[in-house]
Amino acid sequence: MHKLSRRSVSAILRNSGARYRNTAAPIASSTPFNDVAGEDDSKVKWHSVLTTGRRYITGSTAQVNLRNGMFMGNRYESTAAASDASDPPAEKYEYQAEVSRLMDLIVHSLYSNKEVFLRELVSNASDALDKLRFLSVTEPELMKDAAELDIRVQTDKDNGIITITDTGIGMTRQELVDCLGTIAQSGTAKFLKTLKACDSKDIGGDNNLIGQFGVGFYSAFLVSDRVVVSTKSPKSDKQYVWEGEANAGSYTIREETDPEKLVPRGTRLTLYLKRDDKGFAHPEKVQKLVKNYSQFVSFPIYTWQEKGFTKEVEVDEDPAEDKKDGEDGKAEKKRKTKTVVERYWDWDLTNETKPLWLRNPKEVTTEEYNEFYKNTFNEYLDPLASSHFTTEGEVEFRSVLYVPAIAPMGKDDIVNPKTKNIRLYVKRVFISDDFDGELFPRYLSFVKGVVDSNDLPLNVSREILQESRIVRIMRKRLVRKAFDMILGISMSENRDDYDKFWENFGKHLKLGCIEDRENHKRIAPLLRFFSSQSEEEFISLDEYVENMKPEQKDVYYIASDSLTSARNTPFLERLLEKDFEVLFLVDPIDEVAIQNLKSYKEKNFVDISKEDLDLGDKNEEKEKEMKQEYGKTCEWIKKRLGDKVASVQISNRLSTSPCVLVSGKFGWSANMERLMKAQTVGDTSSLDYMRGRRVFEINAEHPIIKNLNAACNSGPDDEDALRVIDLLYDTALISSGFTPENPAQLGGKIYEMMGMALSGKWAAPTIEFQQTANQPGRTANQAVEAEVVEPVEAGGHKGGY
């Protein structure tokens, strides 16, 4: 083999994605197909290498002409041809492996999806073309027979036959034995090894050769009972035919002697499909598979498709109408026509879309990015943002990522890792879009894009991405680029762009706070919340920190089920007086997300509904006085409430409410307790250990607490005072966001209190009351006291407030 210079190889590699739209363009649909034979020889293109077939319109016999080394034929559909009886006898070879077991593994275990057979065979054809292009640099005579480098896929749906033809390097007889007779012997891998030995150090990273395992060809037996390979190498004067069956332990190789089946150069694979897999022979099915798996292969891929063009034809008129027109003779007779569609078969260029990620980002316009996004992911709206980048060094890959305009699965669906939004390519051949967190974490599953690498660690079937250090590095870089893209949206001059993003994908980022501790610093600036000073528009944590008061040390938040509840909670009273901003966490996931962040820019997140709230205004002398004055009262209330509360304390967060029930520092908040109860099926007693201690805080400045303090000092056993404590506790449960254990009993206490407060306020005095009030020596107050009857509690106890 001739030695390739590094410059020559690099030049070829740079042109590996050379433009090929005009290299073998199919004849325009408006051109009658039967005019092709009359074209000038110098303009003849190779339209088909199939030598037999039938014509769908005229039914004439196919013609094959060899002119100036070019292979030319009209547009026909392939059919199976019987072997010539004069062919020389075929030689029989045994496979160089335990074929019965190995073929069973390939067909039934190696590949999980049958349709990948076309991907593998087209990739092999692409490799054959690449090899020819490499070798032609030093051996130009290899290209003398047919200059066009392309792949053509033709189907015969009636007989269940698929034919794949390439104009690549082809194979000699010995190469057929070595490559197709020895399973797992990769001709491509051997070719790469030879190139590397030619002092081409950069060939390994830039080559476009795809195959490496030597089993891709045998994927044909996933859908075929029999496979026939007819190949002609420019290094050999003869064309050979390899033939094998799915369940056989041997194959045959013979020389091709039928002149109608000879090809100038390249390989033709003919697949005779199994009965259950004949659906793959439909032209539309093949075209769909090529577009899905091989859309970005460097060489043009043509598929045999039915087409049509419209034309005007005359319509036979009714004889009665002709007679009437002749009698009138007043108007000139006008011929009637109608439009019909003329059907014909022709080659259709299937992989027209160029791999956008291989281009220089500076040369790609926004419109081109948007168009590529819509075509690749079947979207109709432009994306919110895109990112086109190339990473080099230890891991090299190219990628184009997008942020969709809307959430396709609904904005509430945040746990959906199987989105098929990331399409993985290896050397421009589609591998898979079915990932479960290998390339992107599930909270970023909404990001769409393509990733193309030349050296990903795939398994032998190329369908599964192996967990490795390279994959972890790729994942980190992809996630980093995704965050940079989202950050760009947040910094946009149009605030509506990020509002739209947050509405659709905000919950995904909150999930990231829980699942991805390593990226907290990237996620936190992207979060948005309502607050006590911004109830109409979301604010960022950066905006919150900028608005903090000089004496404020922490970031305060309150978790609730709605903005209304958060706005009216008693926990806010003192903070609003001090003009401290409080974040309103109204989504169920918000509280857990914030707790996982813990801090932002050295400011701790503090839940204002939990004990030991520090507002930075402690007055130790005043607190000492309050404890001396109300210490006995706190003990008295604690004794009455018993195990319902852990302790009773003087509150520093209340200004207008008499009391509040706060959660323990390490226990669930009222909001979290409500969410956990909603998710529990059956008995909720198992949640008791997480509820933690509750602290009953009282406002020493409130009249009710002052009256209770007086009652404690004068009559701690007074029944009415004890009942007031019970009612205060139940009311604090509700106002603090907890659920009372006995709502009916609480309702009874409130009705009783209302009855006492409203007794006789609007009712007219009775006759007995008037007579009693008029008795000599009796005051009106004494008369009222005589008529008031003590109310009765639900439990039968008499008494009142």
Side-chain angles (χ1 to χ4, degrees):
M1 176 179 172
H2 293 283
K3 184 174 180 180
L4 296 176
S5 67
R6 185 177 306 175
R7 178 176 300 177
S8 299
V9 173
S10 299
I12 295 173
L13 295 174
R14 285 196 300 271
N15 295 323
S16 61
R19 302 182 182 277
Y20 51 75
R21 293 181 187 271
N22 300 323
T23 57
I27 297 175
S29 59
S30 60
T31 304
F33 76 96
N34 52 359
D35 292 338
V36 176
E39 291 181 351
D40 181 53
D41 288 354
S42 62
K43 298 180 180 179
V44 170
K45 295 293 182 181
W46 183 12
H47 296 292
S48 174
V49 297
L50 299 174
T51 60
T52 60
R54 61 177 180 273
R55 213 162 161 185
Y56 268 54
I57 299 176
T58 64
S60 63
T61 307
Q63 296 180 0
V64 179
N65 298 320
L66 188 62
R67 303 178 181 178
N68 300 325
M70 299 289 289
F71 203 75
M72 177 267 178
N74 289 336
R75 309 177 182 94
Y76 306 107
E77 181 173 330
S78 65
T79 57
S83 300
D84 194 337
S86 62
D87 288 348
E91 297 185 29
K92 190 174 182 180
Y93 293 83
E94 296 293 332
Y95 287 105
Q96 300 299 311
E98 181 58 43
V99 174
S100 59
R101 178 59 179 154
L102 190 55
M103 289 292 287
D104 181 72
L105 289 174
I106 293 174
V107 175
H108 298 102
S109 302
L110 188 58
Y111 297 96
S112 60
N113 190 359
K114 283 187 175 183
E115 65 184 26
V116 301
F117 82 93
L118 192 59
R119 178 196 72 186
E120 297 296 316
L121 299 180
V122 169
S123 297
N124 287 347
S126 175
D127 279 354
L129 293 166
D130 257 324
K131 292 177 188 177
L132 177 64
R133 194 192 62 215
F134 275 116
L135 297 175
S136 65
V137 175
T138 54
E139 301 176 67
E141 64 275 9
L142 297 177
M143 301 280 286
K144 64 180 180 180
D145 292 329
E148 308 295 352
L149 301 179
D150 59 22
I151 303 169
R152 297 178 184 265
V153 184
Q154 194 166 19
T155 59
D156 180 358
K157 63 180 180 181
D158 295 331
N159 297 308
I161 299 174
I162 298 178
T163 303
I164 303 170
T165 306
D166 68 74
T167 57
I169 191 63
M171 288 178 280
T172 63
R173 186 188 192 104
Q174 187 58 42
E175 287 172 339
L176 278 175
V177 175
D178 293 340
C179 297
L180 301 189
T182 305
I183 298 178
Q185 172 71 30
S186 173
T188 298
K190 184 178 180 182
F191 182 76
L192 284 175
K193 185 177 181 180
T194 305
L195 288 181
K196 289 181 180 179
C198 293
D199 196 26
S200 296
K201 297 180 180 178
D202 56 343
I203 193 69
D206 295 335
N207 75 84
N208 299 302
L209 299 175
I210 300 167
Q212 56 179 319
F213 294 109
V215 296
F217 165 76
Y218 301 98
S219 65
F221 291 105
L222 290 171
V223 295
S224 307
D225 284 323
R226 183 162 64 98
V227 177
V228 177
V229 181
S230 182
T231 182
K232 169 68 168 63
S233 171
K235 298 181 179 180
S236 173
D237 296 332
K238 297 180 180 181
Q239 180 174 327
Y240 296 96
V241 179
W242 182 100
E243 186 172 345
E245 296 184 359
N247 298 320
S250 61
Y251 61 93
T252 62
I253 296 179
R254 59 181 171 83
E255 182 183 341
E256 182 62 81
T257 58
D258 188 346
E260 292 187 357
K261 297 180 181 179
L262 295 177
V263 297
R265 183 195 69 221
T267 303
R268 180 175 65 239
L269 274 72
T270 305
L271 312 182
Y272 297 88
L273 302 181
K274 301 175 183 177
R275 177 178 299 179
D276 295 339
D277 297 315
K278 287 188 177 182
F280 286 111
H282 284 265
E284 298 82 3
K285 178 68 173 179
V286 165
Q287 188 177 54
K288 180 181 177 182
L289 292 180
V290 170
K291 285 185 176 181
N292 184 48
Y293 288 102
S294 306
Q295 176 79 1
F296 304 107
V297 167
S298 298
F299 301 96
I301 304 174
Y302 295 96
T303 56
W304 190 248
Q305 300 294 325
E306 186 179 19
K307 298 184 178 182
F309 63 92
T310 59
K311 67 178 182 178
E312 297 290 329
V313 297
E314 294 185 7
V315 179
D316 295 334
E317 298 184 355
D318 189 355
E321 292 290 337
D322 290 343
K323 185 177 181 180
K324 184 177 179 181
D325 292 341
E327 292 175 354
D328 293 341
K330 297 179 181 180
E332 184 180 352
K333 185 176 180 180
K334 195 173 184 179
R335 294 181 179 273
K336 293 184 178 180
T337 62
K338 67 176 181 179
T339 302
V340 297
V341 178
E342 191 77 18
R343 297 288 181 181
Y344 67 97
W345 289 80
D346 197 1
W347 292 111
D348 183 61
L349 182 60
T350 303
N351 59 336
E352 289 186 278
T353 305
K354 295 291 185 180
L356 187 74
W357 59 86
L358 296 181
R359 297 170 57 185
N360 188 336
K362 297 180 181 179
E363 300 174 356
V364 186
T365 64
T366 302
E367 290 73 20
E368 288 177 310
Y369 282 123
N370 294 347
E371 191 65 25
F372 179 82
Y373 168 75
K374 292 177 182 178
N375 292 336
T376 305
F377 299 100
N378 296 321
E379 292 285 348
Y380 61 94
L381 294 176
D382 290 339
L384 288 178
S386 63
S387 177
H388 181 187
F389 59 95
T390 301
T391 62
E392 298 179 350
E394 186 177 7
V395 178
E396 297 183 6
F397 65 92
R398 298 171 182 266
S399 180
V400 180
L401 302 179
Y402 295 93
V403 174
I406 58 174
M409 299 297 294
K411 63 182 180 180
D412 293 329
D413 185 8
I414 63 173
V415 185
N416 185 25
K418 301 261 184 166
T419 57
K420 298 185 180 294
N421 285 342
I422 299 298
R423 295 177 61 84
L424 175 65
Y425 293 82
V426 172
K427 300 174 183 176
R428 299 172 312 286
V429 175
F430 174 68
I431 299 300
S432 177
D433 58 3
D434 188 10
F435 299 109
D436 189 7
E438 291 90 346
L439 292 179
F440 266 97
R442 66 171 183 169
Y443 70 90
L444 289 178
S445 60
F446 61 89
V447 176
K448 297 186 176 185
V450 297
V451 179
D452 185 12
S453 176
N454 290 350
D455 52 0
L456 275 180
L458 302 174
N459 70 348
V460 68
S461 69
R462 302 200 296 177
E463 296 178 272
I464 303 174
L465 190 63
Q466 303 296 322
E467 180 61 28
S468 70
R469 182 169 172 271
I470 294 179
V471 176
R472 290 193 295 270
I473 294 174
M474 286 185 62
R475 175 186 166 112
K476 285 184 178 180
R477 295 186 180 179
L478 288 170
V479 170
R480 188 182 309 160
K481 289 293 183 179
F483 279 124
D484 291 343
M485 185 168 50
I486 298 172
L487 184 62
I489 303 176
S490 68
M491 299 175 65
S492 172
E493 295 179 358
N494 187 359
R495 188 182 179 101
D496 293 340
D497 288 344
Y498 197 75
D499 289 342
K500 185 187 300 183
F501 167 83
W502 185 253
E503 180 182 359
N504 285 280
F505 308 112
K507 290 184 179 179
H508 291 73
L509 296 185
K510 295 173 185 176
L511 180 64
C513 296
I514 302 171
E515 296 188 340
D516 193 354
R517 188 177 300 274
E518 293 181 2
N519 285 301
H520 277 178
K521 291 184 178 180
R522 291 188 174 94
I523 298 174
L526 303 174
L527 300 178
R528 299 292 185 270
F529 302 98
F530 291 114
S531 75
S532 58
Q533 297 181 10
S534 180
E535 298 182 11
E536 302 295 331
E537 293 185 356
F538 290 110
I539 67 166
S540 66
L541 295 178
D542 286 325
E543 291 173 320
Y544 181 97
V545 173
E546 290 176 4
N547 296 334
M548 288 177 63
K549 301 298 177 183
E551 67 274 17
Q552 185 178 347
K553 299 179 181 179
D554 303 312
V555 177
Y556 299 112
Y557 70 88
I558 179 69
S560 186
D561 59 346
S562 67
L563 280 175
T564 303
S565 299
R567 185 187 308 118
N568 296 301
T569 181
F571 299 108
L572 279 176
E573 292 175 359
R574 284 292 302 281
L575 286 97
L576 294 181
E577 286 184 357
K578 297 175 69 65
D579 200 25
F580 286 174
E581 189 172 14
V582 179
L583 297 177
F584 291 163
L585 311 186
V586 294
D587 276 345
I589 196 175
D590 284 354
E591 185 174 2
V592 182
I594 287 296
Q595 288 175 351
N596 277 269
L597 283 182
K598 295 183 180 179
S599 64
Y600 182 70
K601 291 187 175 180
E602 300 181 355
K603 307 289 184 182
N604 293 325
F605 290 104
V606 174
D607 186 349
I608 64 172
S609 69
K610 292 194 173 183
E611 63 176 330
D612 297 334
L613 179 65
D614 183 10
L615 299 180
D617 58 351
K618 285 188 176 182
N619 189 331
E620 296 182 0
E621 294 184 2
K622 186 177 181 181
E623 288 182 2
K624 187 176 180 180
E625 293 177 0
M626 287 293 181
K627 287 182 179 180
Q628 291 178 352
E629 183 177 357
Y630 287 88
K632 183 178 178 181
T633 302
C634 291
E635 294 177 0
W636 175 54
I637 296 175
K638 172 64 176 74
K639 182 179 179 181
R640 174 64 178 179
L641 297 179
D643 294 335
K644 293 179 181 179
V645 297
S647 63
V648 179
Q649 299 176 3
I650 305 297
S651 178
N652 65 336
R653 73 186 85 205
L654 300 176
S655 59
T656 58
S657 299
C659 58
V660 71
L661 197 63
V662 302
S663 304
K665 192 172 183 179
F666 302 104
W668 281 340
S669 66
N671 180 69
M672 185 59 64
E673 185 175 319
R674 174 180 57 81
L675 293 175
M676 291 298 104
K677 282 184 177 180
Q679 296 183 46
T680 304
V681 179
D683 185 18
T684 60
S685 60
S686 60
L687 302 178
D688 290 342
Y689 74 97
M690 278 301 298
R691 289 175 180 170
R693 56 199 300 268
R694 295 174 181 172
V695 178
F696 190 64
E697 292 189 358
I698 59 176
N699 180 8
E701 304 295 333
H702 198 277
I704 294 179
I705 302 302
K706 290 182 177 181
N707 287 333
L708 278 179
N709 187 44
C712 175
N713 294 327
S714 60
D717 296 328
D718 184 270
E719 196 67 28
D720 292 340
L722 296 177
R723 294 173 64 211
V724 167
I725 295 175
D726 294 339
L727 186 59
L728 277 176
Y729 172 79
D730 290 336
T731 307
L733 272 176
I734 298 176
S735 64
S736 302
F738 295 98
T739 303
E741 296 178 0
N742 193 339
Q745 185 178 18
L746 173 60
K749 294 177 182 179
I750 295 175
Y751 296 150
E752 180 183 351
M753 179 186 66
M754 292 173 61
M756 293 176 56
L758 302 178
S759 178
K761 186 170 183 179
W762 297 290
T766 60
I767 297 176
E768 293 81 359
F769 173 76
Q770 293 177 354
Q771 291 176 351
T772 304
N774 293 332
Q775 291 180 4
R778 195 158 191 182
T779 65
N781 289 338
Q782 291 173 332
V784 172
E785 293 173 359
E787 292 297 319
V788 172
V789 179
E790 290 182 349
V792 181
E793 279 188 314
H797 173 74
K798 291 184 179 182
Y801 291 97

